[in-house]
Amino acid sequence: YITGYAAFRHIQVKVRPGVLIPRPETEVLVSEALSLLPAAHRRVALDSTIDAWEGDALIAAEAAAEAAQDGSGDASETLKRSQQAISAYLDAQQDQGNGDGGDRPDGSAVAKPRPLLVADICTGSGCIACSVAYERPDTRVIATDIAPEAVALAKDNAAELGLSDRVRIERGDLGSPVPAAAMGRLDLVVSNPPYVPTAVLAGIPREVADFEPALALDGGADGNDILRRLLPWTAAALRPGGGFAFELHETCLDAAAELARRAGFHQVRIVDDLAGRPRVLTGVKPV
């Protein structure tokens, strides 16, 4: 595809030049990511509890970002208020006995399951973030990408799929756009980062290389350059018991698994793609 749509799991996403096109192996990544989430207590309607990423908190965060870019306004104070609002919301959601779920016949409170918090790093077209949100309506996803064309496309895909209330796309390097208040509270980090070893990238056929952005592909000499930066951030971002799923190059998985163990993750696994090649790395933060 150069422009148009690509089918991905149970959704259809737009694709455009300059943004990595979703591939079948990424469906394995999404399946593994979903398996790391706690079992759903119940299906949550698309219009319920969506205030996780609505309201003053995110409006203030976006205003702060704009003010910081153009030098206008008190960006630091605005950002501080947005972080406080997000933190207050997350604190409230952690309280399983706050009665927000309604009342039993005897008048006792029923706890409302809190939304699961997910970060999709290097989101590209947004297909992973949108797939997670579609499959699990009890999730709220922050998706990030450093490329403006990817951010624009991901926002369009989330909007077209009716997921903008639960999927927020922010521009920035790896996990830097994730609010500080969310650090240590994420249930899942998923990523399809640049992972192709530079030497392998040089040998990619021209009909592919001409249409795939090098920024989304080049993983450095051994393919794990981005992973080395991503693992420490993931360890800090996840709650105890939270998990990660990363798509990586078939030649890099053994070394990547060792890096994950050194970063303190348990239950580190390598999962094959649909062609039987090692493709996905998963792990869990110790409780």
Side-chain angles (χ1 to χ4, degrees), residues 67-260:
Q69 288 179 353
D70 62 20
S72 64
D74 187 350
S76 61
E77 182 59 28
T78 306
L79 184 58
K80 180 181 178 181
R81 291 198 303 270
S82 73
Q83 295 286 10
Q84 289 172 341
I86 293 171
S87 183
Y89 174 81
L90 292 172
D91 286 339
Q93 292 299 324
Q94 292 290 342
D95 181 3
Q96 294 293 315
N98 59 11
D100 286 344
D103 295 323
R104 297 186 180 93
D106 62 3
S108 60
V110 178
K112 185 180 188 179
R114 69 170 179 84
L116 301 175
L117 304 178
V118 179
D120 172 23
I121 308 301
C122 305
T123 193
S125 67
C127 63
I128 296 171
C130 291
S131 291
V132 170
Y134 178 87
E135 298 285 348
R136 290 293 299 265
D138 55 347
T139 57
R140 304 294 178 268
V141 186
I142 303 176
T144 74
D145 205 289
I146 199 170
E149 57 270 29
V151 170
L153 176 58
K155 286 183 176 181
D156 284 352
N157 279 325
E160 188 155 315
L161 292 165
L163 296 171
S164 294
D165 52 3
R166 294 188 294 112
V167 177
R168 288 283 172 167
I169 297 94
E170 302 292 342
R171 184 184 176 191
D173 184 36
L174 298 183
S176 62
V178 175
M183 295 298 289
R185 303 187 184 195
L186 298 184
D187 296 278
L188 171 68
V189 175
V190 59
S191 181
N192 179 6
Y195 63 66
V196 181
T198 303
V200 175
L201 186 62
I204 289 179
R206 182 175 177 180
E207 60 267 23
V208 175
D210 284 352
F211 296 102
E212 297 285 28
L215 180 66
L217 296 173
D218 195 344
D222 66 352
N224 285 331
D225 277 5
I226 302 300
L227 179 69
R228 289 186 181 89
R229 297 176 53 210
L230 188 56
L231 281 170
W233 180 88
T234 300
L238 287 172
R239 63 166 178 78
F244 73 80
F246 301 149
E247 181 179 331
L248 300 169
H249 195 265
E250 59 204 73
T251 63
C252 305
L253 267 296
D254 288 337
E258 182 59 28
L259 289 170

